[in-house]
Amino acid sequence: MTRAFGLIDHPHRRYNPLTREWILVSPHRTQRPWLGQVEKLPPEERPRYDPQCYLCPGNERAGGVRNPLYTETFVFDNDFSALLPDTPAGKMDERGLLVARSERGLCRVICFSPRHDLTLPEMALEDIRKVVDVWAEQTEELGTRPQINHVQVFENKGAMMGASNPHPHGQVWANESIPHEPAKELAAQTDYWQEKRSCLLCDYLALEEKVQERMVCQNEHFVALVPFWAVWPFETLLLSRRHVPSLLELTRAERDGLAEIIKRLTTKYDNLFEISFPYSMGFHQQPTDGRDYPGWHLHVHTYPPLLRSATVRKFMVGYEMLAEPQRDIPAEAAAQRLRSLPDVHYRQR
Ligand code: H2U
Ligand code: ZN
């Protein structure tokens, strides 16, 4: 029995330097037997076109608008937008205890493909590349508006993550304020930049490249890894190798690299339990208020809820709701699993 502290054997807390939060890691718990039910899921078969789907080409959406017969990507204003462009300005503050502010913005839906039966990993590389262009276009178009100071591009995939429809799609929400998560990351990256005159995520990536143990996959322009401070079981962080603050600064070759690594990473995810793997994935880009943020480094977070099979998922309950997040599978073990999975999708093998 070892007495000396080690990350593999002993409970410990890890620090997330991007959000400045701590997580509890309990590696010894993965040995305990799982008593919950594990069922085999039926194979998913979807038609190329679903007459009931509100995202398929030519179909009607809520409110009676009809989608065009689009052949590549398609973007539209969300029919149930959480943010609206014409909200009147106003605020409330009762002794610092009842505080509110008006918020303007807008929400869009991005269809990745006209094909109802595909998802990102099963799409052709050149078609994912077109989605990368749309993400950049949306960031630019919305971000240059004077009242928009932050653009959040994301995808909710799978019913488990609350996605309303299996048709491949993502969303973009753009608003006046910098939301809570990016605001925490902005503070940490800015402080680091000011203290060290170098970038937090560039320095972090250099460390990870030295040890290699949390790497998942990489190409000339991007690296996907399980961050040291990961909370979700197979959480990953995708980083550009070059220090760029947003999608807009990527060269064509870097956009190609982004499409390629997204295909590879999402393929590995699907291969993990041989199901269409649920997750929430999103880009973190510098604010679009026109100011300079030299410390900001473009990255993508992917948060998947599945723990050890297609049916056993992680919830943030109990200690995690009341104290802090906790994980059983150390980041190193999760990275090793993802790394060893094939780059060819299980349905295309
Ligand atoms: P998910 O990415 O969580 O599946 O959300 C899809 C969005 O599509 C959701 O925000 C919108 C919902 O408001 N939607 C429309 O804009 N029009 C419709 O006809 C149905 C759903
Ligand atoms: Zn569809």
Side-chain angles (χ1 to χ4, degrees):
M1 204 168 132
T2 43
R3 290 277 105 220
F5 168 70
L7 292 181
I8 293 162
D9 300 315
H10 304 113
H12 58 276
R13 292 169 83 218
R14 293 190 186 190
Y15 178 64
N16 179 342
L18 255 189
T19 58
R20 305 201 260 212
E21 291 162 347
W22 290 84
I23 68 143
L24 177 63
V25 183
S26 316
H28 61 293
R29 296 215 320 166
T30 34
Q31 275 93 301
R32 96 203 130 114
W34 175 257
L35 299 175
Q37 209 129 358
V38 178
E39 312 113 49
K40 191 97 181 125
L41 296 180
E44 320 142 66
E45 286 307 330
R46 292 209 303 271
R48 291 167 73 109
Y49 166 75
D50 177 353
Q52 302 305 319
C53 169
Y54 62 83
L55 296 177
C56 274
N59 291 0
E60 196 175 287
R61 299 201 310 270
V65 191
R66 203 166 271 287
N67 296 326
L69 290 168
Y70 66 96
T71 56
E72 295 178 344
T73 56
F74 170 54
V75 182
F76 64 91
D77 283 339
N78 197 308
D79 300 305
F80 306 98
S81 281
L83 295 154
L84 300 164
D86 49 6
T87 302
K91 57 181 172 198
M92 145 180 176
D93 189 341
E94 302 267 344
R95 299 201 284 164
L97 295 173
L98 302 176
V99 182
R101 274 182 235 157
S102 60
E103 186 67 29
R104 288 177 296 181
L106 69 170
C107 303
R108 287 179 174 165
V109 177
I110 303 172
C111 297
F112 297 160
S113 161
R115 288 266 304 265
H116 186 81
D117 58 330
L118 296 181
T119 57
L120 281 176
E122 293 176 275
M123 281 169 61
L125 186 56
E126 74 225 58
D127 293 331
I128 302 174
R129 178 64 174 75
K130 288 172 192 157
V131 176
V132 169
D133 282 343
V134 172
W135 286 331
E137 263 162 44
Q138 289 299 313
T139 302
E140 175 151 49
E141 203 246 284
L142 297 170
T144 46
R145 298 185 185 205
Q147 60 165 243
I148 297 301
N149 297 316
H150 182 264
V151 179
Q152 183 61 59
V153 172
F154 67 101
E155 177 191 7
N156 276 335
K157 181 170 170 250
M160 203 176 267
M161 293 312 291
S164 55
N165 188 327
H167 194 112
H169 70 286
Q171 300 192 46
V172 52
W173 292 25
N175 59 313
E176 229 177 324
S177 304
I178 299 167
H180 194 63
E181 284 299 311
K184 285 187 287 188
E185 294 188 357
L186 178 61
Q189 290 180 100
T190 303
D191 287 353
Y192 190 97
W193 181 267
Q194 276 165 1
E195 255 170 58
K196 313 211 180 206
R197 288 287 136 197
S198 72
C199 162
L200 190 159
L201 286 175
C202 284
D203 289 358
Y204 173 62
L205 181 55
L207 279 179
E208 290 290 12
E209 292 208 276
K210 217 178 286 169
V211 292
Q212 289 288 323
E213 60 181 341
R214 282 172 292 273
M215 291 289 179
V216 173
C217 51
Q218 47 190 298
N219 61 31
E220 198 187 335
H221 302 292
F222 283 87
V223 175
L225 51 83
V226 178
F228 182 71
W229 53 83
V231 168
W232 294 93
F234 294 96
E235 174 178 337
T236 55
L237 179 66
L238 177 56
L239 295 163
S240 57
R241 286 194 189 274
R242 193 161 66 86
H243 182 71
V244 288
S246 83
L247 288 165
L248 305 185
E249 280 74 12
L250 295 181
T251 63
R252 294 167 78 99
E254 285 168 332
R255 288 189 187 195
D256 294 346
L258 180 56
E260 196 273 336
I261 204 159
I262 284 176
K263 183 168 171 74
R264 207 126 58 89
L265 179 61
T266 55
T267 295
K268 283 179 179 291
Y269 274 145
D270 276 13
N271 286 341
L272 186 59
F273 302 130
E274 300 208 343
I275 53 156
S276 181
F277 198 70
Y279 59 69
S280 279
M281 172 191 277
F283 286 85
H284 274 165
Q285 311 187 71
Q286 73 174 356
T288 59
D289 54 6
R291 275 188 259 171
D292 233 15
Y293 294 98
W296 191 281
H297 191 125
L298 171 70
H299 60 279
V300 179
H301 295 283
T302 304
Y303 301 120
L306 291 177
L307 194 52
R308 65 188 78 201
S309 75
T311 53
V312 179
R313 68 170 293 189
K314 179 175 177 68
F315 293 96
M316 293 281 185
V317 295
Y319 188 82
E320 309 200 283
M321 273 183 141
L322 291 156
E324 71 187 16
Q326 180 269 340
R327 67 178 283 146
D328 295 346
I329 308 169
E332 298 71 36
Q336 203 274 323
R337 280 245 351 243
L338 287 173
R339 201 164 51 228
S340 67
L341 290 164
D343 288 335
V344 179
H345 196 272
Y346 70 94
R347 275 155 54 114
Q348 292 167 350
R349 255 177 255 151

